[in-house]
Amino acid sequence: MKLLFYDTKSYDRASFDEAGKRYPDIAIDYLKTDLAPRTASLAQGYDAVCAFVNSDVGTETVKALHEFGVKVILMRCAGFNNVDVEAAGRYGIPVLRVPGYSPEAVAEHAMALALGVNRRLHKAYVKVRENDFSLSGLMGFNFYQKTAGIIGTGKIGAAMAKICRGFGMRVLAYDLYENPSLKEFITYVSLEELLSESDLISLHCPLLENTYHLVNKDTIAKMKDGVILVNTSRGALVKTEDLIDGIRAHKFFGVGLDVYEEETPNVFEDRSEQILEHSITARLLSFPNVMITSHQGFFTREALAAIAETTFENAKAWEKGETTGNEA
Ligand code: NAI
């Protein structure tokens, strides 16, 4: 089987080369360029393409992949909101993804953002480097005995709920489908109740039509004053303009974002030389109680190894005509 790997970073290549030793029948060629309508033609002669969260796997790309003979799309990520799954279905191209490679990796990063922004670690780090050991502006609050609100209790939300319980927090959750294994220590409530009761709100639901801009003017108004909001899920769950208004109105004690609306389509770009004066992310960064990371929640050694392993397993299953449960 021939696989064309788009948007290759050195760490992707390292993890796929390592796992690939166990799959000698799968030959990979790596491309630096990302998958988009104009680069789909490069996949001519390949059975499969491997793409990622910022790849453009929309209608046009899927059509082109079909014309160039690609038979399967392997997403090396959980989310697939950048893939026109319906179009792929029409062309008989299965889309396989990696639904859960290391939920703990993302949940631990969500807690890192919550703690970081609570204890103002981003400010403390810079202050101490400047030889300023004063504590002004660094006061946080205990998570112990406070309330965490988890929106979406799938794999990552469940891991986050367990971490919060470990911190001695009361854990509330909101999900369309309740996870019975969590009921021992979390309480499912309505979204309204979660918003009004929680000191820390962490988003772990997927980006769907009914979750788009879930955090907006109205839902922010229902939150407790002084809440910490963390989003490691998808940027468009939060309406950024409304979030900025909320921050300006001192609604939030802190905001930790690993994902943000503006990141798509080029998530992992080095934008250090761009002028960001019109960017809403730059506006967010101008607030001292906002901490932003670059979609790195998944980025641990264990997660990368698991992503590679599952992608190869998906490819193998597709070749054998087996279903995996990893279909998008
Ligand atoms: P999952 O599919 O295991 O869980 C998602 C949960 O959200 C499910 O329990 C589902 O019932 C719930 N849900 C769906 N619609 C909802 C709604 N309207 N309101 C409340 N809950 C709703 O997914 P998993 O693996 O936990 O991932 C969650 C999200 O995390 C992904 O969709 C992805 O966007 C994001 N993610 C972020 C990463 C990062 O590096 N920052 C890495 C991996 C995933």
Side-chain angles (χ1 to χ4, degrees):
M1 171 177 185
K2 286 185 73 185
L3 167 60
L4 188 61
F5 197 103
Y6 280 91
D7 191 25
T8 313
K9 306 285 187 289
S10 57
Y11 46 82
D12 293 318
R13 190 165 186 156
S15 57
F16 273 79
D17 279 351
E18 182 56 36
K21 291 176 189 163
R22 294 185 291 281
Y23 300 88
D25 298 339
I26 302 176
I28 306 191
D29 283 325
Y30 295 97
L31 285 182
K32 276 199 174 154
T33 187
D34 204 354
L35 181 56
R38 288 180 62 188
T39 58
S41 62
L42 298 167
Q44 187 159 24
Y46 288 87
D47 306 294
V49 292
C50 185
F52 197 44
V53 284
N54 44 336
S55 309
D56 172 356
V57 203
T59 320
E60 228 185 305
T61 305
V62 171
K63 182 170 178 277
L65 290 174
H66 166 68
E67 283 166 7
F68 290 110
V70 169
K71 300 181 202 77
V72 59
I73 296 170
L74 301 169
M75 299 302 295
R76 54 181 188 279
C77 52
F80 52 92
N81 51 292
N82 53 332
V83 185
D84 188 339
V85 179
E86 222 180 276
R90 278 200 305 276
Y91 295 119
I93 302 179
V95 179
L96 293 157
R97 65 188 183 116
V98 185
Y101 33 91
S102 178
E104 291 76 17
V106 184
E108 286 174 17
H109 190 69
M111 186 45 101
L113 280 171
L115 285 171
V117 82
N118 178 9
R119 306 306 293 269
R120 309 298 199 227
L121 297 185
H122 53 305
K123 285 169 82 176
Y125 175 78
V126 174
K127 275 167 73 112
V128 170
R129 282 174 73 95
E130 298 290 323
N131 227 15
D132 175 359
F133 292 84
S134 70
L135 298 181
S136 51
L138 301 182
M139 195 193 291
F141 66 88
N142 284 10
F143 280 164
Y144 178 62
Q145 291 191 336
K146 295 293 190 310
T147 301
I150 312 289
I151 300 183
T153 51
K155 290 173 285 299
I156 298 170
M160 182 62 173
K162 287 176 193 157
I163 292 172
C164 292
R165 179 186 57 162
F167 273 70
M169 302 182 87
R170 174 168 82 117
V171 186
L172 301 180
Y174 169 71
D175 197 312
L176 301 182
Y177 307 96
E178 300 186 358
N179 183 338
S181 71
L182 300 175
K183 285 196 174 169
E184 215 177 280
F185 68 93
I186 70 174
T187 310
Y188 280 99
V189 293
S190 65
L191 180 60
E192 278 67 27
E193 194 175 340
L194 182 146
L195 296 172
S196 64
E197 291 274 313
S198 302
D199 302 288
L200 163 63
I201 295 175
S202 197
L203 306 181
H204 299 289
C205 55
L207 178 61
L208 301 167
E209 235 166 77
N210 65 357
T211 58
Y212 178 74
H213 286 179
L214 177 89
V215 173
N216 56 45
K217 189 160 63 80
D218 298 333
T219 47
I220 290 172
K222 290 176 184 158
M223 293 177 191
K224 247 186 183 179
D225 288 341
V227 64
I228 289 180
L229 175 72
V230 170
N231 186 11
T232 55
S233 208
R234 281 292 179 269
L237 292 176
V238 177
K239 187 170 180 196
T240 314
E241 292 292 345
D242 291 359
L243 177 66
I244 289 172
D245 289 345
I247 296 167
R248 289 168 66 103
H250 304 287
K251 184 76 186 176
F252 298 94
F253 186 78
V255 175
L257 304 173
D258 189 42
V259 290
Y260 21 91
E261 288 188 279
E262 247 173 7
E263 70 182 305
T264 42
N266 297 312
V267 184
F268 303 109
E269 254 187 355
D270 176 357
R271 283 177 245 173
S272 51
E273 287 182 3
Q274 288 176 19
I275 298 165
L276 289 173
E277 63 188 294
H278 301 299
S279 129
I280 46 173
T281 313
R283 277 174 67 199
L284 277 172
L285 278 169
S286 70
F287 298 106
N289 58 341
V290 175
M291 207 172 172
I292 300 187
T293 53
S294 58
H295 204 136
Q296 68 181 72
F298 74 99
F299 200 48
T300 65
R301 277 198 298 270
E302 292 79 0
L304 288 185
I307 287 170
E309 189 71 31
T310 306
T311 305
F312 281 118
E313 282 299 315
N314 283 344
K316 228 173 81 176
W318 168 77
E319 259 197 320
K320 289 185 183 164
E322 293 168 356
T323 48
T324 57
N326 294 341
E327 290 77 17

